[in-house]
CSV table of all heavy atoms in Angstrom, one decimal:
chain,number,residue,atom,x,y,z
A,151,PHE,N,-11.6,-29.7,-59.0
A,151,PHE,CA,-10.7,-28.6,-58.6
A,151,PHE,C,-10.7,-27.5,-59.7
A,151,PHE,O,-10.9,-27.8,-60.9
A,151,PHE,CB,-9.3,-29.2,-58.5
A,151,PHE,CG,-9.1,-30.1,-57.3
A,151,PHE,CD1,-9.1,-31.5,-57.5
A,151,PHE,CD2,-9.0,-29.6,-56.1
A,151,PHE,CE1,-9.0,-32.4,-56.5
A,151,PHE,CE2,-8.9,-30.5,-55.0
A,151,PHE,CZ,-8.9,-31.8,-55.2
A,152,TYR,N,-10.5,-26.3,-59.3
A,152,TYR,CA,-10.4,-25.2,-60.1
A,152,TYR,C,-8.9,-24.9,-60.5
A,152,TYR,O,-8.2,-24.3,-59.8
A,152,TYR,CB,-11.0,-23.9,-59.5
A,152,TYR,CG,-11.1,-22.7,-60.4
A,152,TYR,CD1,-11.8,-22.9,-61.6
A,152,TYR,CD2,-10.7,-21.5,-60.0
A,152,TYR,CE1,-11.9,-21.8,-62.4
A,152,TYR,CE2,-10.8,-20.4,-60.8
A,152,TYR,CZ,-11.4,-20.6,-62.1
A,152,TYR,OH,-11.5,-19.5,-62.9
A,153,TRP,N,-8.5,-25.6,-61.6
A,153,TRP,CA,-7.1,-25.6,-61.9
A,153,TRP,C,-6.4,-24.3,-62.1
A,153,TRP,O,-5.2,-24.1,-61.7
A,153,TRP,CB,-6.9,-26.6,-63.1
A,153,TRP,CG,-7.2,-28.0,-62.6
A,153,TRP,CD1,-8.4,-28.7,-63.0
A,153,TRP,CD2,-6.5,-28.8,-61.7
A,153,TRP,NE1,-8.4,-29.9,-62.4
A,153,TRP,CE2,-7.3,-30.0,-61.6
A,153,TRP,CE3,-5.3,-28.7,-61.0
A,153,TRP,CZ2,-6.9,-31.1,-60.8
A,153,TRP,CZ3,-4.9,-29.8,-60.2
A,153,TRP,CH2,-5.7,-30.9,-60.1
A,154,PRO,N,-7.0,-23.3,-62.8
A,154,PRO,CA,-6.3,-22.0,-62.9
A,154,PRO,C,-5.9,-21.4,-61.6
A,154,PRO,O,-4.9,-20.8,-61.4
A,154,PRO,CB,-7.3,-21.2,-63.7
A,154,PRO,CG,-8.2,-22.1,-64.4
A,154,PRO,CD,-8.3,-23.3,-63.5
A,155,ALA,N,-6.8,-21.5,-60.6
A,155,ALA,CA,-6.5,-20.9,-59.3
A,155,ALA,C,-5.4,-21.7,-58.6
A,155,ALA,O,-4.6,-21.1,-57.9
A,155,ALA,CB,-7.8,-20.9,-58.4
A,156,ILE,N,-5.4,-23.0,-58.7
A,156,ILE,CA,-4.4,-23.8,-58.1
A,156,ILE,C,-3.0,-23.5,-58.8
A,156,ILE,O,-2.0,-23.3,-58.1
A,156,ILE,CB,-4.7,-25.3,-58.3
A,156,ILE,CG1,-5.9,-25.7,-57.4
A,156,ILE,CG2,-3.5,-26.2,-57.9
A,156,ILE,CD1,-6.5,-27.1,-57.6
A,157,LEU,N,-3.0,-23.3,-60.1
A,157,LEU,CA,-1.8,-22.9,-60.8
A,157,LEU,C,-1.3,-21.6,-60.3
A,157,LEU,O,-0.1,-21.4,-60.1
A,157,LEU,CB,-2.0,-22.9,-62.3
A,157,LEU,CG,-0.8,-22.5,-63.2
A,157,LEU,CD1,0.3,-23.5,-63.0
A,157,LEU,CD2,-1.2,-22.4,-64.6
A,158,LEU,N,-2.2,-20.6,-60.1
A,158,LEU,CA,-1.8,-19.3,-59.6
A,158,LEU,C,-1.2,-19.4,-58.2
A,158,LEU,O,-0.2,-18.8,-57.9
A,158,LEU,CB,-3.0,-18.3,-59.6
A,158,LEU,CG,-2.7,-16.9,-59.1
A,158,LEU,CD1,-1.6,-16.2,-59.9
A,158,LEU,CD2,-4.0,-16.1,-59.0
A,159,ALA,N,-1.8,-20.2,-57.4
A,159,ALA,CA,-1.3,-20.4,-56.0
A,159,ALA,C,0.1,-21.0,-56.0
A,159,ALA,O,1.0,-20.6,-55.3
A,159,ALA,CB,-2.3,-21.3,-55.2
A,160,VAL,N,0.3,-22.0,-56.9
A,160,VAL,CA,1.6,-22.7,-57.0
A,160,VAL,C,2.7,-21.7,-57.5
A,160,VAL,O,3.8,-21.7,-57.0
A,160,VAL,CB,1.5,-23.9,-57.9
A,160,VAL,CG1,2.9,-24.5,-58.3
A,160,VAL,CG2,0.7,-25.0,-57.2
A,161,VAL,N,2.3,-20.9,-58.5
A,161,VAL,CA,3.2,-19.9,-59.0
A,161,VAL,C,3.6,-18.9,-58.0
A,161,VAL,O,4.8,-18.6,-57.8
A,161,VAL,CB,2.7,-19.2,-60.3
A,161,VAL,CG1,3.5,-18.0,-60.7
A,161,VAL,CG2,2.6,-20.2,-61.4
A,162,VAL,N,2.7,-18.4,-57.2
A,162,VAL,CA,2.9,-17.4,-56.1
A,162,VAL,C,3.8,-18.1,-55.1
A,162,VAL,O,4.8,-17.5,-54.6
A,162,VAL,CB,1.6,-16.8,-55.5
A,162,VAL,CG1,1.9,-16.0,-54.3
A,162,VAL,CG2,0.9,-16.0,-56.5
A,163,PHE,N,3.5,-19.3,-54.7
A,163,PHE,CA,4.3,-20.0,-53.7
A,163,PHE,C,5.7,-20.2,-54.2
A,163,PHE,O,6.7,-20.0,-53.5
A,163,PHE,CB,3.7,-21.4,-53.4
A,163,PHE,CG,4.5,-22.1,-52.3
A,163,PHE,CD1,4.4,-21.8,-51.0
A,163,PHE,CD2,5.3,-23.2,-52.7
A,163,PHE,CE1,5.1,-22.5,-50.1
A,163,PHE,CE2,6.0,-23.9,-51.8
A,163,PHE,CZ,5.9,-23.5,-50.5
A,164,ALA,N,5.9,-20.6,-55.5
A,164,ALA,CA,7.2,-20.8,-56.0
A,164,ALA,C,8.0,-19.4,-56.1
A,164,ALA,O,9.2,-19.4,-55.7
A,164,ALA,CB,7.1,-21.4,-57.4
A,165,CYS,N,7.3,-18.4,-56.4
A,165,CYS,CA,8.0,-17.1,-56.4
A,165,CYS,C,8.4,-16.7,-55.0
A,165,CYS,O,9.5,-16.0,-54.9
A,165,CYS,CB,7.1,-16.0,-57.0
A,165,CYS,SG,6.8,-16.1,-58.8
A,166,LEU,N,7.7,-17.0,-54.0
A,166,LEU,CA,8.1,-16.7,-52.6
A,166,LEU,C,9.3,-17.5,-52.2
A,166,LEU,O,9.8,-17.2,-51.1
A,166,LEU,CB,6.9,-16.9,-51.7
A,166,LEU,CG,5.8,-15.8,-51.8
A,166,LEU,CD1,4.6,-16.2,-51.0
A,166,LEU,CD2,6.3,-14.5,-51.4
A,167,GLN,N,9.7,-18.5,-52.9
A,167,GLN,CA,10.8,-19.3,-52.5
A,167,GLN,C,12.1,-18.7,-53.1
A,167,GLN,O,13.2,-19.1,-52.7
A,167,GLN,CB,10.7,-20.8,-52.9
A,167,GLN,CG,9.4,-21.4,-52.4
A,167,GLN,CD,9.2,-21.2,-50.9
A,167,GLN,OE1,10.1,-21.5,-50.1
A,167,GLN,NE2,8.0,-20.7,-50.5
A,168,VAL,N,12.0,-17.8,-54.1
A,168,VAL,CA,13.2,-17.2,-54.7
A,168,VAL,C,13.5,-16.0,-53.9
A,168,VAL,O,12.7,-15.1,-53.6
A,168,VAL,CB,12.8,-16.7,-56.2
A,168,VAL,CG1,14.0,-16.0,-56.8
A,168,VAL,CG2,12.4,-17.9,-57.0
A,169,LYS,N,14.8,-15.9,-53.4
A,169,LYS,CA,15.2,-14.9,-52.5
A,169,LYS,C,15.0,-13.5,-52.9
A,169,LYS,O,14.4,-12.7,-52.1
A,169,LYS,CB,16.7,-15.1,-52.1
A,169,LYS,CG,17.2,-14.3,-51.0
A,169,LYS,CD,18.4,-14.8,-50.4
A,169,LYS,CE,18.8,-13.9,-49.2
A,169,LYS,NZ,19.1,-14.7,-48.0
A,170,PRO,N,15.3,-13.1,-54.1
A,170,PRO,CA,15.0,-11.7,-54.5
A,170,PRO,C,13.5,-11.3,-54.5
A,170,PRO,O,13.1,-10.3,-54.1
A,170,PRO,CB,15.6,-11.5,-55.9
A,170,PRO,CG,16.6,-12.6,-56.0
A,170,PRO,CD,16.1,-13.7,-55.2
A,171,LEU,N,12.7,-12.3,-54.9
A,171,LEU,CA,11.3,-12.1,-54.9
A,171,LEU,C,10.7,-12.1,-53.5
A,171,LEU,O,9.7,-11.4,-53.3
A,171,LEU,CB,10.6,-13.1,-55.8
A,171,LEU,CG,10.9,-13.1,-57.3
A,171,LEU,CD1,10.3,-14.2,-58.0
A,171,LEU,CD2,10.6,-11.7,-57.9
A,172,LYS,N,11.3,-12.9,-52.7
A,172,LYS,CA,10.8,-13.0,-51.3
A,172,LYS,C,10.8,-11.6,-50.6
A,172,LYS,O,10.1,-11.4,-49.7
A,172,LYS,CB,11.6,-14.0,-50.5
A,172,LYS,CG,11.0,-14.4,-49.2
A,172,LYS,CD,12.0,-15.3,-48.4
A,172,LYS,CE,11.7,-16.7,-48.8
A,172,LYS,NZ,12.3,-17.7,-48.0
A,173,GLN,N,11.8,-10.8,-51.0
A,173,GLN,CA,11.9,-9.5,-50.3
A,173,GLN,C,11.0,-8.4,-50.9
A,173,GLN,O,11.0,-7.3,-50.3
A,173,GLN,CB,13.4,-9.1,-50.4
A,173,GLN,CG,14.3,-10.0,-49.7
A,173,GLN,CD,15.8,-9.7,-49.9
A,173,GLN,OE1,16.1,-8.7,-50.5
A,173,GLN,NE2,16.6,-10.5,-49.3
A,174,LEU,N,10.2,-8.7,-51.9
A,174,LEU,CA,9.2,-7.8,-52.4
A,174,LEU,C,8.1,-7.6,-51.4
A,174,LEU,O,7.8,-8.5,-50.6
A,174,LEU,CB,8.6,-8.3,-53.7
A,174,LEU,CG,9.6,-8.2,-54.9
A,174,LEU,CD1,8.9,-8.9,-56.1
A,174,LEU,CD2,10.0,-6.8,-55.2
A,175,HIS,N,7.5,-6.4,-51.4
A,175,HIS,CA,6.4,-6.2,-50.5
A,175,HIS,C,5.2,-7.0,-50.9
A,175,HIS,O,4.9,-7.3,-52.1
A,175,HIS,CB,6.0,-4.7,-50.6
A,175,HIS,CG,5.2,-4.2,-49.5
A,175,HIS,ND1,3.8,-4.3,-49.5
A,175,HIS,CD2,5.5,-3.6,-48.3
A,175,HIS,CE1,3.3,-3.8,-48.4
A,175,HIS,NE2,4.3,-3.4,-47.7
A,176,PRO,N,4.4,-7.5,-49.9
A,176,PRO,CA,3.3,-8.4,-50.2
A,176,PRO,C,2.2,-7.7,-51.1
A,176,PRO,O,1.6,-8.4,-51.9
A,176,PRO,CB,2.6,-8.6,-48.8
A,176,PRO,CG,3.7,-8.4,-47.8
A,176,PRO,CD,4.6,-7.4,-48.4
A,177,ILE,N,2.1,-6.4,-51.1
A,177,ILE,CA,1.2,-5.8,-52.0
A,177,ILE,C,1.5,-6.0,-53.5
A,177,ILE,O,0.6,-6.1,-54.3
A,177,ILE,CB,1.1,-4.2,-51.7
A,177,ILE,CG1,-0.1,-3.6,-52.3
A,177,ILE,CG2,2.3,-3.5,-52.3
A,177,ILE,CD1,-1.4,-4.0,-51.7
A,178,VAL,N,2.8,-6.3,-53.8
A,178,VAL,CA,3.1,-6.6,-55.2
A,178,VAL,C,2.5,-7.9,-55.6
A,178,VAL,O,1.9,-8.0,-56.7
A,178,VAL,CB,4.7,-6.7,-55.3
A,178,VAL,CG1,5.1,-7.2,-56.7
A,178,VAL,CG2,5.3,-5.4,-55.0
A,179,PHE,N,2.5,-8.9,-54.7
A,179,PHE,CA,1.9,-10.2,-55.0
A,179,PHE,C,0.4,-10.1,-55.1
A,179,PHE,O,-0.3,-10.7,-55.9
A,179,PHE,CB,2.3,-11.3,-54.0
A,179,PHE,CG,3.8,-11.7,-54.1
A,179,PHE,CD1,4.7,-11.1,-53.3
A,179,PHE,CD2,4.2,-12.5,-55.1
A,179,PHE,CE1,6.0,-11.5,-53.4
A,179,PHE,CE2,5.5,-12.9,-55.3
A,179,PHE,CZ,6.4,-12.4,-54.4
A,180,ILE,N,-0.2,-9.3,-54.2
A,180,ILE,CA,-1.6,-9.1,-54.2
A,180,ILE,C,-2.0,-8.4,-55.6
A,180,ILE,O,-3.0,-8.8,-56.2
A,180,ILE,CB,-2.1,-8.2,-53.0
A,180,ILE,CG1,-1.9,-9.0,-51.7
A,180,ILE,CG2,-3.5,-7.8,-53.2
A,180,ILE,CD1,-2.1,-8.2,-50.5
A,181,ALA,N,-1.3,-7.4,-56.0
A,181,ALA,CA,-1.6,-6.7,-57.2
A,181,ALA,C,-1.4,-7.6,-58.4
A,181,ALA,O,-2.3,-7.6,-59.3
A,181,ALA,CB,-0.7,-5.4,-57.3
A,182,LEU,N,-0.4,-8.3,-58.5
A,182,LEU,CA,-0.1,-9.3,-59.6
A,182,LEU,C,-1.2,-10.4,-59.6
A,182,LEU,O,-1.7,-10.7,-60.7
A,182,LEU,CB,1.3,-9.8,-59.5
A,182,LEU,CG,2.4,-8.9,-59.8
A,182,LEU,CD1,3.8,-9.5,-59.6
A,182,LEU,CD2,2.3,-8.3,-61.2
A,183,SER,N,-1.6,-10.9,-58.5
A,183,SER,CA,-2.7,-11.9,-58.4
A,183,SER,C,-4.0,-11.3,-58.9
A,183,SER,O,-4.8,-11.9,-59.6
A,183,SER,CB,-2.8,-12.4,-57.0
A,183,SER,OG,-1.6,-13.1,-56.7
A,184,ALA,N,-4.3,-10.0,-58.5
A,184,ALA,CA,-5.5,-9.4,-58.9
A,184,ALA,C,-5.5,-9.2,-60.5
A,184,ALA,O,-6.5,-9.4,-61.1
A,184,ALA,CB,-5.7,-8.0,-58.2
Side-chain angles (χ1 to χ4, degrees):
F151 295 101
Y152 189 52
W153 295 105
I156 292 172
L157 178 63
L158 178 62
V160 169
V161 167
V162 170
F163 180 77
C165 288
L166 287 173
Q167 304 311 308
V168 178
K169 190 161 184 133
L171 295 177
K172 189 184 275 190
Q173 296 177 1
L174 290 175
H175 196 276
I177 196 73
V178 172
F179 290 101
I180 293 171
L182 290 174
S183 295

